[in-house]
């Protein structure tokens, strides 16, 4: 982040089209001068699904919104921010 910039990351986890609560806060704010790699694990706990009685197709969604702000950036300088990878793991079923 440039000295006069900032960024906010907002993440929503969805299961079967419904937003579900997370065990950890998936949001982040990057203050002026931030220059590093950032990583966060976001855990969720779903209720039980009786897949024997009613077969289920499980659809997970991860919606992310990254807002970057930069003000008064000198000529020939740039601001970069990106989402590189999103990895998911499903625990014991």
């Amino acid at each position: 982040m440039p000295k006069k910039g900032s960024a906010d990351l907002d993440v929503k986890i969805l299961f079967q089209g419904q937003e579900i609560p997370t065990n950890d806060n998936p949001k982040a704010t990057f203050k002026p001068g931030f220059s590093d790699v950032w990583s966060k694990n976001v855990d969720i706990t779903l209720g039980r699904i009786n897949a024997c009685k009613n077969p289920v197709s499980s659809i997970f969604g991860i919606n992310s919104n990254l807002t970057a702000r930069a003000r008064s950036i000198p000529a020939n300088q740039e601001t970069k921010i990106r989402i590189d990878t999103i990895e998911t793991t499903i625990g014991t079923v």
Side-chain angles (χ1 to χ4, degrees):
M1 288 284 93
K3 291 181 182 176
K4 294 184 180 181
S6 63
D8 295 308
L9 175 65
D10 186 17
V11 177
K12 293 181 181 175
I13 311 293
L14 299 113
F15 178 69
Q16 300 297 96
Q18 301 293 316
E19 185 175 349
I20 58 172
T22 59
N23 299 346
D24 313 295
N25 183 358
K27 298 180 181 183
T29 298
F30 302 96
K31 298 186 181 209
F34 178 86
S35 179
D36 202 348
V37 173
W38 180 83
S39 178
K40 172 126 184 164
N41 290 326
V42 178
D43 294 327
I44 60 172
T45 303
L46 293 175
R48 294 178 187 254
I49 299 170
N50 186 343
C52 295
K53 185 176 180 182
N54 298 313
V56 176
S57 276
S58 299
I59 300 172
F60 283 90
I62 301 172
N63 291 347
S64 56
N65 181 31
L66 183 60
T67 304
R69 296 170 210 83
R71 294 181 180 88
S72 304
I73 304 301
N76 300 321
Q77 290 191 8
E78 64 183 16
T79 299
K80 269 191 199 177
I81 190 164
R82 70 179 182 196
I83 297 176
D84 187 20
T85 60
I86 296 176
E87 299 174 11
T88 59
T89 303
I90 297 176
T92 306
V93 176

